[in-house]
Amino acid sequence: MSFHFKGSTQVSVIMPPSFPWILLLALSFLALMLQKSEGQFEEWCIADEQTPDDELQRAMDWACGKGGADCSKIQLNQPCYMPNTIRDHASYAFNNYYQKFKHRGATCYFNSAALITDLDPSQHSCKFEYLP
């Protein structure tokens, strides 16, 4: 960009890219980095911290029984047994069920005992499965 002043003086100014464009570019890049295959974000199903243990137990019993979740890893001497709490075991069971059946229409509801998170709940040797 050039400015002309009276007389023969001409001043050229190099304008930096406008801030909104830089911000838009940065946010677009961040969104692309967070996206996974097929445009999906990673999601896990975990127990809601506000749900009482007796409700979590009933929901976990269903998930591990009739629901068809593989709950073998939350058994004694298995990688997800510790921490040995109903909430942690329910989170593992809920997520296993959700990942296994979400493409067939399953939800992360469990009678309002669970919720979706985008933070990987895996701890130490206990890895929570994620299936795109």
Side-chain angles (χ1 to χ4, degrees):
M1 179 179 288
S2 296
F3 295 98
H4 295 277
F5 295 98
K6 283 187 176 181
S8 62
T9 308
Q10 179 179 348
V11 177
S12 293
V13 178
I14 298 174
M15 298 295 290
S18 66
F19 180 74
W21 284 106
I22 292 174
L23 181 60
L24 181 61
L25 182 62
L27 290 174
S28 298
F29 179 74
L30 180 61
L32 287 173
M33 293 303 295
L34 292 175
Q35 279 187 317
K36 298 297 176 187
S37 64
E38 300 175 18
Q40 297 294 314
F41 290 91
E42 291 183 346
E43 294 180 333
W44 293 267
C45 180
I46 59 170
D48 186 337
E49 292 181 10
Q50 298 178 11
T51 304
D53 282 356
D54 61 320
E55 290 181 37
L56 290 176
Q57 185 67 58
R58 279 193 297 275
M60 179 172 54
D61 290 346
W62 180 87
C64 294
K66 290 182 182 179
D70 178 3
C71 296
S72 61
K73 290 186 180 177
I74 54 175
Q75 301 302 313
L76 184 63
N77 297 322
Q78 294 302 309
C80 297
Y81 180 73
M82 298 301 286
N84 182 18
T85 68
I86 291 174
R87 188 161 324 283
D88 286 292
H89 288 183
S91 289
Y92 184 86
F94 295 168
N95 186 68
N96 184 274
Y97 169 85
Y98 178 66
Q99 299 298 332
K100 192 172 182 181
F101 298 112
K102 66 184 175 185
H103 294 297
R104 294 192 223 163
T107 64
C108 176
Y109 182 66
F110 297 95
N111 203 24
S112 200
L115 52 87
I116 293 287
T117 182
D118 61 356
L119 300 175
D120 185 351
S122 299
Q123 301 177 40
H124 311 292
S125 65
C126 181
K127 303 301 179 205
F128 277 57
E129 186 175 31
Y130 165 75
L131 298 174

